[in-house]
Short mmCIF file of all heavy atoms in Angstrom, two decimals:
data_model
loop_
_atom_site.label_atom_id
_atom_site.label_comp_id
_atom_site.label_asym_id
_atom_site.label_seq_id
_atom_site.Cartn_x
_atom_site.Cartn_y
_atom_site.Cartn_z
N ALA A 429 -29.21 -11.83 -2.58
CA ALA A 429 -30.47 -11.46 -3.22
C ALA A 429 -31.62 -11.55 -2.21
O ALA A 429 -32.55 -10.77 -2.23
CB ALA A 429 -30.72 -12.34 -4.47
N ASP A 430 -31.54 -12.61 -1.35
CA ASP A 430 -32.55 -12.71 -0.27
C ASP A 430 -32.49 -11.63 0.69
O ASP A 430 -33.55 -11.06 1.14
CB ASP A 430 -32.37 -14.06 0.53
CG ASP A 430 -32.39 -15.22 -0.43
OD1 ASP A 430 -33.08 -15.15 -1.45
OD2 ASP A 430 -31.72 -16.26 -0.11
N PHE A 431 -31.28 -11.17 1.06
CA PHE A 431 -31.10 -10.05 2.01
C PHE A 431 -31.73 -8.83 1.33
O PHE A 431 -32.60 -8.13 1.96
CB PHE A 431 -29.62 -9.86 2.25
CG PHE A 431 -29.28 -8.79 3.24
CD1 PHE A 431 -30.06 -8.51 4.37
CD2 PHE A 431 -28.16 -7.96 3.05
CE1 PHE A 431 -29.74 -7.53 5.28
CE2 PHE A 431 -27.81 -6.91 3.97
CZ PHE A 431 -28.57 -6.77 5.10
N ARG A 432 -31.35 -8.55 0.09
CA ARG A 432 -31.92 -7.45 -0.62
C ARG A 432 -33.44 -7.46 -0.70
O ARG A 432 -34.16 -6.52 -0.41
CB ARG A 432 -31.30 -7.35 -1.98
CG ARG A 432 -31.82 -6.27 -2.90
CD ARG A 432 -31.73 -4.89 -2.20
NE ARG A 432 -31.94 -3.89 -3.18
CZ ARG A 432 -30.97 -3.40 -3.95
NH1 ARG A 432 -29.68 -3.76 -3.72
NH2 ARG A 432 -31.23 -2.52 -4.92
N ALA A 433 -33.97 -8.67 -1.09
CA ALA A 433 -35.46 -8.81 -1.30
C ALA A 433 -36.12 -8.53 0.03
O ALA A 433 -37.19 -7.96 0.08
CB ALA A 433 -35.77 -10.15 -1.86
N THR A 434 -35.49 -8.99 1.19
CA THR A 434 -36.17 -8.77 2.42
C THR A 434 -36.19 -7.30 2.80
O THR A 434 -37.22 -6.76 3.30
CB THR A 434 -35.40 -9.60 3.50
OG1 THR A 434 -35.24 -10.93 3.09
CG2 THR A 434 -36.12 -9.54 4.89
N LEU A 435 -35.07 -6.61 2.58
CA LEU A 435 -35.05 -5.16 2.86
C LEU A 435 -35.99 -4.39 1.85
O LEU A 435 -36.62 -3.43 2.22
CB LEU A 435 -33.64 -4.58 2.71
CG LEU A 435 -32.59 -5.12 3.73
CD1 LEU A 435 -31.23 -4.60 3.50
CD2 LEU A 435 -33.05 -4.83 5.15
N ASP A 436 -36.06 -4.89 0.61
CA ASP A 436 -37.00 -4.24 -0.34
C ASP A 436 -38.48 -4.23 0.03
O ASP A 436 -39.22 -3.43 -0.35
CB ASP A 436 -36.77 -4.92 -1.71
CG ASP A 436 -35.69 -4.31 -2.56
OD1 ASP A 436 -35.36 -3.09 -2.39
OD2 ASP A 436 -35.14 -4.97 -3.47
N ARG A 437 -38.77 -5.21 0.95
CA ARG A 437 -40.18 -5.25 1.39
C ARG A 437 -40.56 -3.93 2.10
O ARG A 437 -41.68 -3.56 2.10
CB ARG A 437 -40.36 -6.41 2.33
CG ARG A 437 -40.13 -7.82 1.74
CD ARG A 437 -40.87 -8.91 2.42
NE ARG A 437 -40.40 -9.13 3.83
CZ ARG A 437 -39.79 -10.23 4.29
NH1 ARG A 437 -39.45 -11.23 3.53
NH2 ARG A 437 -39.45 -10.30 5.56
N LEU A 438 -39.51 -3.30 2.65
CA LEU A 438 -39.78 -2.08 3.44
C LEU A 438 -40.14 -0.89 2.53
O LEU A 438 -40.50 0.14 3.05
CB LEU A 438 -38.49 -1.70 4.24
CG LEU A 438 -38.13 -2.70 5.34
CD1 LEU A 438 -36.74 -2.52 5.85
CD2 LEU A 438 -39.16 -2.65 6.50
N ARG A 439 -39.96 -1.09 1.23
CA ARG A 439 -40.29 -0.01 0.27
C ARG A 439 -41.73 0.37 0.30
O ARG A 439 -42.09 1.44 -0.21
CB ARG A 439 -39.86 -0.40 -1.17
CG ARG A 439 -38.40 -0.29 -1.43
CD ARG A 439 -38.12 -0.75 -2.90
NE ARG A 439 -36.81 -0.73 -3.27
CZ ARG A 439 -36.04 0.28 -3.72
NH1 ARG A 439 -36.58 1.47 -3.80
NH2 ARG A 439 -34.76 0.11 -3.98
N ASP A 440 -42.61 -0.47 0.95
CA ASP A 440 -44.03 -0.07 0.96
C ASP A 440 -44.21 0.99 2.12
O ASP A 440 -45.27 1.64 2.18
CB ASP A 440 -44.94 -1.33 1.27
CG ASP A 440 -44.69 -1.92 2.65
OD1 ASP A 440 -43.61 -1.64 3.22
OD2 ASP A 440 -45.46 -2.69 3.09
N LEU A 441 -43.16 1.29 2.91
CA LEU A 441 -43.30 2.33 4.01
C LEU A 441 -43.09 3.69 3.32
O LEU A 441 -42.20 3.87 2.53
CB LEU A 441 -42.29 2.12 5.07
CG LEU A 441 -42.35 0.76 5.84
CD1 LEU A 441 -41.32 0.68 6.87
CD2 LEU A 441 -43.80 0.60 6.52
N PRO A 442 -43.88 4.71 3.70
CA PRO A 442 -43.71 6.05 3.11
C PRO A 442 -42.35 6.64 3.35
O PRO A 442 -41.89 7.50 2.56
CB PRO A 442 -44.88 6.85 3.68
CG PRO A 442 -45.34 6.01 4.87
CD PRO A 442 -44.97 4.65 4.67
N VAL A 443 -41.66 6.29 4.36
CA VAL A 443 -40.40 6.91 4.78
C VAL A 443 -39.21 6.35 4.01
O VAL A 443 -38.10 6.87 3.96
CB VAL A 443 -40.16 6.84 6.30
CG1 VAL A 443 -39.78 5.44 6.68
CG2 VAL A 443 -39.24 7.89 6.77
N VAL A 444 -39.39 5.15 3.35
CA VAL A 444 -38.25 4.48 2.70
C VAL A 444 -38.18 4.95 1.25
O VAL A 444 -39.04 4.70 0.39
CB VAL A 444 -38.46 2.93 2.76
CG1 VAL A 444 -37.36 2.26 1.88
CG2 VAL A 444 -38.29 2.49 4.18
N GLY A 445 -37.13 5.75 0.94
CA GLY A 445 -36.94 6.28 -0.39
C GLY A 445 -36.11 5.36 -1.31
O GLY A 445 -36.45 5.18 -2.53
N ASP A 446 -35.14 4.69 -0.74
CA ASP A 446 -34.30 3.89 -1.61
C ASP A 446 -33.73 2.76 -0.71
O ASP A 446 -33.46 2.91 0.50
CB ASP A 446 -33.19 4.69 -2.14
CG ASP A 446 -32.40 4.01 -3.31
OD1 ASP A 446 -32.97 3.12 -3.93
OD2 ASP A 446 -31.25 4.36 -3.52
N VAL A 447 -33.48 1.63 -1.35
CA VAL A 447 -32.72 0.54 -0.73
C VAL A 447 -31.62 0.18 -1.75
O VAL A 447 -31.88 -0.07 -2.94
CB VAL A 447 -33.62 -0.75 -0.53
CG1 VAL A 447 -32.83 -1.89 0.07
CG2 VAL A 447 -34.86 -0.40 0.36
N ARG A 448 -30.42 0.14 -1.27
CA ARG A 448 -29.27 -0.09 -2.20
C ARG A 448 -28.12 -0.67 -1.50
O ARG A 448 -27.93 -0.70 -0.31
CB ARG A 448 -28.84 1.24 -2.84
CG ARG A 448 -28.41 2.26 -1.75
CD ARG A 448 -28.21 3.63 -2.33
NE ARG A 448 -27.91 4.62 -1.29
CZ ARG A 448 -28.59 5.68 -1.00
NH1 ARG A 448 -29.67 6.08 -1.69
NH2 ARG A 448 -28.28 6.49 0.00
N GLY A 449 -27.17 -1.27 -2.31
CA GLY A 449 -25.97 -1.85 -1.79
C GLY A 449 -25.58 -3.08 -2.57
O GLY A 449 -25.97 -3.23 -3.73
N SER A 450 -24.77 -3.91 -1.89
CA SER A 450 -24.18 -5.05 -2.67
C SER A 450 -23.76 -6.01 -1.52
O SER A 450 -23.35 -5.63 -0.49
CB SER A 450 -23.02 -4.54 -3.45
OG SER A 450 -22.35 -5.59 -4.04
N GLY A 451 -23.79 -7.35 -1.81
CA GLY A 451 -23.35 -8.33 -0.81
C GLY A 451 -24.17 -8.19 0.45
O GLY A 451 -25.36 -7.91 0.49
N TYR A 452 -23.42 -8.24 1.58
CA TYR A 452 -24.09 -8.04 2.91
C TYR A 452 -23.72 -6.63 3.46
O TYR A 452 -23.10 -6.44 4.46
CB TYR A 452 -23.54 -9.11 3.91
CG TYR A 452 -24.23 -10.45 3.89
CD1 TYR A 452 -25.02 -10.87 2.77
CD2 TYR A 452 -24.18 -11.35 4.99
CE1 TYR A 452 -25.59 -12.03 2.74
CE2 TYR A 452 -24.79 -12.54 4.90
CZ TYR A 452 -25.54 -12.94 3.80
OH TYR A 452 -26.14 -14.14 3.82
N PHE A 453 -24.03 -5.70 2.57
CA PHE A 453 -23.65 -4.27 2.81
C PHE A 453 -24.78 -3.45 2.14
O PHE A 453 -24.70 -3.17 0.86
CB PHE A 453 -22.28 -4.03 2.20
CG PHE A 453 -21.72 -2.74 2.38
CD1 PHE A 453 -21.83 -2.05 3.56
CD2 PHE A 453 -20.91 -2.20 1.40
CE1 PHE A 453 -21.24 -0.79 3.76
CE2 PHE A 453 -20.36 -0.91 1.64
CZ PHE A 453 -20.43 -0.24 2.82
N HIS A 454 -25.73 -2.97 2.87
CA HIS A 454 -26.87 -2.25 2.27
C HIS A 454 -27.25 -1.00 3.10
O HIS A 454 -27.05 -0.95 4.35
CB HIS A 454 -28.09 -3.18 2.20
CG HIS A 454 -28.07 -4.01 0.96
ND1 HIS A 454 -27.28 -5.12 0.81
CD2 HIS A 454 -28.64 -3.82 -0.26
CE1 HIS A 454 -27.42 -5.61 -0.44
NE2 HIS A 454 -28.30 -4.87 -1.05
N GLY A 455 -27.80 -0.06 2.41
CA GLY A 455 -28.32 1.20 3.05
C GLY A 455 -29.75 1.42 2.66
O GLY A 455 -30.19 1.02 1.55
N ILE A 456 -30.45 2.01 3.56
CA ILE A 456 -31.90 2.38 3.29
C ILE A 456 -31.99 3.83 3.48
O ILE A 456 -31.73 4.36 4.61
CB ILE A 456 -32.81 1.68 4.35
CG1 ILE A 456 -32.74 0.13 4.28
CG2 ILE A 456 -34.30 2.09 4.15
CD1 ILE A 456 -33.45 -0.62 5.33
N GLU A 457 -32.30 4.56 2.44
CA GLU A 457 -32.37 6.01 2.53
C GLU A 457 -33.76 6.43 2.96
O GLU A 457 -34.71 5.98 2.34
CB GLU A 457 -31.95 6.72 1.23
CG GLU A 457 -32.06 8.24 1.38
CD GLU A 457 -31.30 8.95 0.30
OE1 GLU A 457 -30.40 8.47 -0.38
OE2 GLU A 457 -31.73 10.17 0.11
N LEU A 458 -33.85 7.31 3.96
CA LEU A 458 -35.16 7.79 4.44
C LEU A 458 -35.47 9.14 3.82
O LEU A 458 -34.58 10.03 3.67
CB LEU A 458 -35.09 7.89 5.94
CG LEU A 458 -34.55 6.67 6.69
CD1 LEU A 458 -34.54 6.83 8.18
CD2 LEU A 458 -35.49 5.44 6.33
N VAL A 459 -36.75 9.29 3.44
CA VAL A 459 -37.21 10.57 2.83
C VAL A 459 -38.53 10.98 3.48
O VAL A 459 -39.21 10.26 4.11
CB VAL A 459 -37.41 10.44 1.33
CG1 VAL A 459 -36.11 10.29 0.55
CG2 VAL A 459 -38.37 9.28 1.01
N LYS A 460 -38.89 12.23 3.28
CA LYS A 460 -40.14 12.71 3.73
C LYS A 460 -41.18 12.56 2.69
O LYS A 460 -42.42 12.59 2.97
CB LYS A 460 -39.98 14.26 4.06
CG LYS A 460 -39.73 14.43 5.50
CD LYS A 460 -39.76 15.89 6.04
CE LYS A 460 -39.87 17.00 5.07
NZ LYS A 460 -39.54 18.31 5.72
N ASP A 461 -40.73 12.53 1.44
CA ASP A 461 -41.70 12.46 0.31
C ASP A 461 -41.00 11.57 -0.77
O ASP A 461 -40.01 11.95 -1.37
CB ASP A 461 -41.99 13.92 -0.16
CG ASP A 461 -43.05 13.86 -1.26
OD1 ASP A 461 -43.11 12.87 -2.05
OD2 ASP A 461 -43.81 14.88 -1.37
N LYS A 462 -41.67 10.42 -0.98
CA LYS A 462 -41.05 9.46 -1.96
C LYS A 462 -41.05 10.08 -3.41
O LYS A 462 -40.15 9.91 -4.13
CB LYS A 462 -41.95 8.21 -2.05
CG LYS A 462 -41.53 7.05 -1.21
CD LYS A 462 -42.37 5.86 -1.62
CE LYS A 462 -42.63 4.90 -0.60
NZ LYS A 462 -41.56 4.08 -0.16
N ALA A 463 -42.11 10.80 -3.71
CA ALA A 463 -42.28 11.32 -5.10
C ALA A 463 -41.20 12.31 -5.38
O ALA A 463 -40.62 12.38 -6.45
CB ALA A 463 -43.66 11.89 -5.28
#
Side-chain angles (χ1 to χ4, degrees):
D430 303 331
F431 183 38
R432 173 57 165 271
T434 309
L435 296 177
D436 271 337
R437 299 202 298 246
L438 296 164
R439 283 180 184 271
D440 66 347
L441 300 178
V443 76
V444 171
D446 194 24
V447 179
R448 57 188 176 239
S450 175
Y452 276 18
F453 184 38
H454 277 77
I456 300 171
E457 181 166 336
L458 307 179
V459 290
K460 263 188 354 191
D461 184 327
K462 265 192 209 290

